[in-house]
Amino acid sequence: MTKNSLRNGPDAAGYYGEFGSRYAPEILMPNLIELEKAFNDAINDKKFIDEFEYYLKEWVGRPNPLYFAEQLTEQIGGAKIYFKSDHLNHLGAHKLNNSLFQILLAKRMSKKKIYAETGAGAHLIATAAACAKFNLPCIGYMGHDDVIKQSTNVLKAKLFGAKVVECFDGTGEKGVLKDACTAVLKAWSSDPSAYYCCGSAIGPHPFPRIVQYAQSVIGREIKDQILEKEGRLPNAIVCCIGGGSNLIGAIHEFLDDKEVELYGVEAKGSAALTYGSIGIMQGFKSFMLQEEDGSATQNTTSLASGINFYSAGPEHAYLKSIGRVKYVYETDEAAFETFKLLCRTEGILPAFEPSFSTSYAIKLAKKMSKDDIIVTSVCGRGD
């Protein structure tokens, strides 16, 4: 990697430009410092990386296909659309890449139990499954509203042995991903024997870096597969973003490839990178949907639980600030129409979240020539 590569970050203090770092209470600092040291040791240990790659192949089922959506491309016209098929992973989402890596890291650190937060439930399912695989107890924190909306996923997590803790906001009546994040950090701060398996590229340093590292397998596969299929890089990569693990995983390998346009698609009802302002909350600095004085977050309203988040990871904030990634949004209504279109044209039942990015990818494809190529991620299945 070159000295000025966009793939080098963060710096020693956890900053991506002005974003990120470790804005955490003193009680959390020992846990974070211990985690950072363990992570850096692990990624320089060939035996650990070989073990991670073994389970990615033999248990997760990677590499998954880069699939040419021929019917969809023909129907809409314009650029070729390829789907990175993370919905075909074991458990049906990209989340297991990260959970597997972190549970292996927790085992290496001799931790006794695992905490996790979740929105749509996919991260909790993945973490609970990895905990079952490696014989560790799992406690998952989930917002009250999401427990109701995602009851099937709650049941799946419990089948893997997870205990699910329902979280509420300040009123005691509602609760979403933000509230789960607050609750899990509080629990971890008083329990150094536990490991907090963070589900997205958010939170205090080193979590954004850990999640980016684990999920970057997605982009490496995309690069190898598109070169094999088309003999060149795509014109654009388009992925959905809440906290940002799916997107950073898909694009990190391409950050220095200036000929590839990169797009992150938010839900309009939680579009922090589109409508937010810079703030500090839950341990990191980024763009956030917050009150004018920064005293509290604003409510988010998307039906897509996995991207219904008030902020986005600090690396995304930095990439927005330098213009390397274009952050846009789609409405719940447009995403649902695209969800139905994918079912009818490709026989793919996507999760609601990647329907947002596919919706934008279709709009983009219509403006491009038939020789152009778009890659978008089906980062979860919709069952």
Side-chain angles (χ1 to χ4, degrees):
M1 235 179 285
T2 62
K3 183 178 179 181
N4 295 321
S5 171
L6 290 174
R7 295 166 58 205
N8 284 343
D11 66 17
Y15 279 102
Y16 300 87
E18 69 171 293
F19 301 99
S21 194
R22 188 183 284 151
Y23 294 92
E26 188 175 346
I27 194 171
L28 262 182
M29 287 300 183
N31 293 9
L32 292 166
I33 292 167
E34 179 194 25
L35 177 59
E36 182 182 11
K37 183 181 184 305
F39 168 70
N40 288 329
D41 288 346
I43 62 175
N44 288 294
D45 181 347
K46 184 178 184 300
K47 185 178 177 182
F48 178 85
I49 298 302
D50 286 347
E51 184 181 22
F52 176 50
E53 291 179 349
Y54 170 83
Y55 285 113
L56 280 176
K57 179 182 178 183
E58 300 294 337
W59 189 55
V60 179
R62 305 202 74 97
N64 54 53
L66 183 67
Y67 168 71
F68 174 44
E70 189 172 7
Q71 281 274 105
L72 180 64
T73 298
E74 184 178 335
Q75 180 166 325
I76 67 172
K80 286 183 176 181
I81 295 179
Y82 279 87
F83 289 136
K84 183 57 175 156
S85 303
D86 271 81
H87 64 298
L88 298 181
N89 290 346
H90 175 42
L91 304 177
H94 70 293
K95 292 292 187 180
L96 192 54
N97 307 323
N98 174 52
S99 293
L100 168 63
F101 180 89
Q102 292 201 60
I103 298 313
L104 290 174
L105 183 58
K107 190 175 71 146
R108 179 186 174 94
M109 296 171 68
S110 301
K111 295 300 181 181
K112 304 303 182 188
K113 59 184 166 185
I114 306 298
Y115 292 136
E117 90 298 333
T118 195
H123 173 59
L124 179 54
I125 291 169
T127 304
C131 285
K133 171 91 178 142
F134 296 103
N135 196 29
L136 284 165
C138 177
I139 301 96
Y141 291 80
M142 192 171 188
H144 169 74
D145 294 29
D146 294 332
V147 167
I148 295 169
K149 283 194 289 186
Q150 306 289 346
S151 59
T152 304
N153 284 346
V154 173
L155 175 60
K156 289 178 184 176
K158 288 180 176 179
L159 285 171
F160 288 123
K163 176 186 175 183
V164 179
V165 179
E166 206 166 334
C167 306
F168 295 86
D169 65 8
T171 68
E173 296 179 359
K174 295 183 176 182
V176 292
L177 179 56
K178 166 180 69 75
D179 307 297
C181 291
T182 298
V184 75
L185 284 169
K186 184 177 180 181
W188 187 46
S189 69
S190 58
D191 192 353
S193 71
Y195 181 100
Y196 167 35
C197 183
C198 183
S200 198
I202 58 172
H205 177 65
F207 284 118
R209 165 72 172 131
I210 292 173
V211 176
Q212 171 265 304
Y213 184 93
Q215 294 291 9
S216 289
V217 62
I218 301 170
R220 291 194 297 275
E221 289 179 8
I222 290 172
K223 183 170 276 190
D224 289 344
Q225 290 168 325
I226 200 67
L227 288 172
E228 181 183 343
K229 289 174 178 289
E230 294 282 352
R232 66 183 183 86
L233 298 181
N235 297 84
I237 299 174
V238 184
C239 296
C240 65
I241 173 173
S245 66
N246 165 56
L247 177 60
I248 204 63
I251 67 174
H252 201 264
E253 186 71 19
F254 296 88
L255 290 178
D256 296 331
D257 298 313
K258 295 180 181 178
E259 68 272 31
V260 182
E261 293 188 339
L262 306 173
Y263 294 85
V265 185
E266 302 181 287
K268 186 179 181 182
S270 54
L273 290 162
T274 304
Y275 295 121
S277 56
I278 296 172
I280 297 169
M281 211 165 292
Q282 292 183 329
F284 67 105
K285 183 179 183 181
S286 185
F287 286 93
M288 302 179 177
L289 295 170
Q290 60 185 339
E291 296 301 322
E292 213 168 292
D293 62 0
S295 60
T297 61
Q298 296 174 344
N299 290 333
T300 53
T301 59
S302 176
L303 292 173
S305 298
I307 57 176
N308 187 36
F309 189 57
Y310 74 97
S311 184
E315 189 166 6
H316 291 296
Y318 172 64
L319 293 170
K320 170 187 166 68
S321 72
I322 64 171
R324 178 62 186 99
V325 181
K326 298 175 183 175
Y327 294 92
V328 296
Y329 66 81
E330 285 289 322
T331 64
D332 284 11
E333 293 76 13
F336 186 59
E337 290 304 312
T338 301
F339 168 85
K340 293 188 289 185
L341 181 62
L342 255 63
C343 292
R344 292 195 302 266
T345 58
E346 294 296 339
I348 293 173
L349 184 67
F352 193 32
E353 288 80 2
S355 301
F356 285 77
S357 48
T358 304
S359 180
Y360 190 82
I362 288 170
K363 291 179 182 178
L364 195 62
K366 289 177 178 179
K367 301 174 184 176
M368 298 166 73
S369 79
K370 293 186 177 181
D371 295 324
D372 291 332
I373 300 165
I374 294 175
V375 174
T376 187
S377 171
V378 183
C379 60
R381 66 181 179 222
D383 57 344

